[in-house]
Amino acid sequence: MLQEVMTSPGVIEFRDVPIPEIRDDQVLVKMMRLGICGSDISYYYGHSPLDTPDGKGPMYLGHEASGVVAE
């Protein structure tokens, strides 16, 4: 699956990663749409410290999402 990660302000990488394995008490959601918010834009332009323990990244943007249960 394709994963987006911001490694530092202004730098977004797309990575090919395996689809996560799920347990019996979980579901796998196929993302259909993903949005970014104002905070994400601030992180991208370096106006806010990254929301990570060291403030440096990486950071996974886009927490406003919708999808369908795939499994």
Side-chain angles (χ1 to χ4, degrees), residues 3 5-6 11 14-15 25 29 38 44 50 59 62 65-66 68:
Q3 177 189 63
V5 59
M6 187 173 73
V11 180
F14 291 89
R15 301 173 180 171
D25 62 342
V29 176
Y44 178 81
L50 294 179
M59 184 172 188
S66 66
V68 296

Side-chain angles (χ1 to χ4, degrees), residues 6-58:
M6 187 173 73
T7 55
S8 62
V11 180
I12 293 179
E13 296 178 4
F14 291 89
R15 301 173 180 171
D16 210 6
V17 298
I19 294 173
E21 292 187 22
I22 60 169
R23 298 187 310 254
D24 290 340
D25 62 342
Q26 297 177 319
V27 297
L28 180 67
V29 176
K30 179 180 179 180
M31 303 311 301
M32 303 303 286
R33 298 286 186 266
L34 190 66
I36 59 172
C37 70
S39 298
D40 293 335
I41 293 169
S42 292
Y43 297 136
Y44 178 81
Y45 286 109
H47 299 306
S48 297
L50 294 179
D51 190 15
T52 61
D54 64 4
K56 296 181 181 176

